[in-house]
């Protein structure tokens, strides 16, 4: 993590509850991933998709919870360029369900740095169960 304020990693049993939890409204984390193999001569495809696995729930604890996940090319220090975002959270169904969002962006040449920013924009409870940084066609 480059920064993490208001988020916490938990490994409380059962394993289905593992993940990153928002612990404060307006909490934000930044995760910068550098792809050292993304050069045009390597034949490697650079990262062009970030996958976010998370849970939506309905209880009072989750009421109004909403996060904004944004992907940028570059680093926080070098004025990264925004390329994709999604906003999701609380739902009205009386279930807790896993969801997945793919934040796909066009390859911007041979970029090496992908920055993910996740920020609570409503409520105070949210759980991210997994993140993926990959190349997809």
């Amino acid at each position: 993590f480059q920064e993490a304020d208001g988020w916490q990693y938990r490994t409380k049993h059962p394993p289905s509850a593992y993940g990153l939890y928002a612990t404060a409204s307006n909490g934000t984390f930044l995760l910068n991933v550098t792809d050292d193999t993304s050069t045009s001569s390597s034949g490697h495809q650079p990262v062009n998709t970030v996958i976010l696995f998370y849970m939506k729930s309905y209880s009072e604890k989750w009421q109004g919870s909403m996060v904004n996940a944004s992907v940028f090319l570059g680093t926080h220090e070098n004025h990264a360029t925004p390329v994709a975002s999604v906003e999701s959270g609380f739902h009205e169904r009386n279930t807790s369900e896993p969801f997945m969002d793919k934040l796909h962006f066009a390859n911007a040449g041979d970029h090496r740095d992908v920055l993910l920013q996740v920020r609570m924009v409503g409520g105070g409870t949210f759980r991210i169960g997994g993140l993926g940084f990959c190349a997809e066609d």
Side-chain angles (χ1 to χ4, degrees), residues 14 16 29 32 35 45 48 51 60 62-64 66 74-75 81 83 88 112 116-117 119 122 129 132 135:
S16 60
F29 74 81
N32 199 114
D35 183 356
Q45 292 182 323
N48 65 2
I51 302 173
E60 190 174 305
W62 292 77
Q63 187 70 38
M66 187 70 61
T75 63
T81 304
V83 291
S88 190
R112 294 173 27 99
L116 172 66
Q117 177 188 52
R119 183 172 54 91

Side-chain angles (χ1 to χ4, degrees), residues 26-81:
N26 221 13
T28 302
F29 74 81
L30 297 173
L31 179 61
N32 199 114
V33 174
T34 299
D35 183 356
D36 291 330
T37 61
S38 63
T39 62
S40 56
S41 62
S42 72
H44 174 80
Q45 292 182 323
V47 170
N48 65 2
T49 303
V50 175
I51 302 173
L52 184 68
F53 300 92
Y54 59 96
M55 187 176 80
K56 284 187 180 183
S57 195
Y58 63 96
S59 70
E60 190 174 305
K61 178 173 105 173
W62 292 77
Q63 187 70 38
S65 291
M66 187 70 61
V67 296
N68 176 280
S70 299
V71 177
F72 301 83
L73 296 182
T75 63
H76 188 54
E77 294 83 23
N78 70 5
H79 308 289
T81 304

Side-chain angles (χ1 to χ4, degrees), residues 4-5 13 36 46 48 73 83 85-86 99 115 118 137:
D5 181 33
H13 196 75
D36 291 330
N48 65 2
L73 296 182
V83 291
S85 68
V86 67
F99 282 81
L115 178 67
V118 178
D137 291 330

